[in-house]
Amino acid sequence: MIFVTVGTHNQDFTRLLKEIDEIAGRMDEEVIIQSGNTTLVLKNAKCFDFASRNDLKRLNKEARIIITHGGAGSIIFALQFNKPTIVVPRLKRHGEHINDHQLELTKELERSNKILGVYDIGDLESKIMEADLSKESSSEKPVMIGIIKDYIGSLKEDASY
């Protein structure tokens, strides 16, 4: 099963949900999506808007691959389960966020080989195929969490936001 989560951000993320729903139509694997505030009607994937932390934990545990938006909380939560994690950052130019901090975080984590980043939504399907090769060992989790915390700290110091 592939689990997709877009968190609780109030802006729409149709770009990701539309693409993963199309991909799900070509797959034999179940795709479950936590759609948050995105109201797109899906044809091929199972979908719900919000769930309890326990339900999200169960879905992350059961997933073969986790696909998430670029929110730090969602990424940290996903990586705890030691599953291949694909991150599709919300982008300002698509009206998905107020700035591109998710893009910056995604690039940094990808440079550290913690996640697979998707910068062109058309690349999502190939990243899913690649995801099994990117599985992290559990011994690297503390390092990864430190990298994310350092990055978030640097954003607080950046007055350009």
Side-chain angles (χ1 to χ4, degrees):
M1 180 261 289
I2 295 174
F3 178 55
V4 181
T5 180
V6 301
T8 59
H9 187 72
N10 62 345
Q11 288 171 287
D12 190 78
F13 205 6
T14 296
R15 182 171 59 98
L16 171 58
L17 270 56
K18 182 178 177 184
E19 185 69 17
I20 193 62
D21 192 49
E22 289 176 16
I23 293 168
R26 298 188 292 271
M27 298 177 72
D28 290 329
E29 186 169 11
E30 180 179 41
V31 176
I32 299 176
I33 300 172
Q34 179 268 317
S35 61
N37 289 301
T38 304
T39 58
L40 181 69
V41 176
L42 303 177
K43 298 175 186 170
N44 303 301
K46 292 182 181 178
C47 185
F48 62 91
D49 54 4
F50 298 99
S52 70
R53 187 161 180 85
N54 284 338
D55 287 340
L56 294 174
K57 184 177 182 178
R58 179 184 51 77
L59 288 164
N60 277 278
K61 279 183 177 181
E62 293 174 3
R64 181 178 68 86
I65 296 170
I66 301 167
I67 301 173
T68 181
H69 72 133
S74 293
I75 294 171
I76 290 171
F77 192 70
L79 289 172
Q80 292 175 39
F81 299 94
N82 200 30
K83 305 287 178 85
T85 302
I86 298 171
V87 177
V88 182
R90 292 173 179 268
L91 300 175
K92 180 180 179 180
R93 73 175 177 260
H94 294 297
E96 299 160 346
H97 219 299
I98 59 169
N99 59 37
D100 283 330
H101 73 278
Q102 289 193 359
L103 177 64
E104 295 168 14
L105 178 58
T106 301
K107 286 181 178 180
E108 183 62 32
L109 291 172
E110 188 169 47
R111 273 192 292 273
S112 301
N113 295 315
K114 305 302 178 195
I115 56 97
L116 293 170
V118 174
Y119 308 102
D120 178 333
I121 200 65
D123 295 336
L124 181 57
E125 192 164 10
S126 65
K127 291 293 182 173
I128 291 169
M129 303 296 177
E130 184 183 338
D132 284 326
L133 303 175
S134 70
K135 191 171 183 180
E136 297 294 327
S137 72
S138 59
S139 65
E140 295 179 351
K141 285 192 286 187
V143 173
M144 168 202 46
I145 290 170
I147 290 169
I148 293 171
K149 286 181 179 177
D150 289 347
Y151 177 76
I152 292 170
S154 74
L155 288 178
K156 291 177 182 175
E157 297 170 8
D158 185 352
S160 65
Y161 290 102

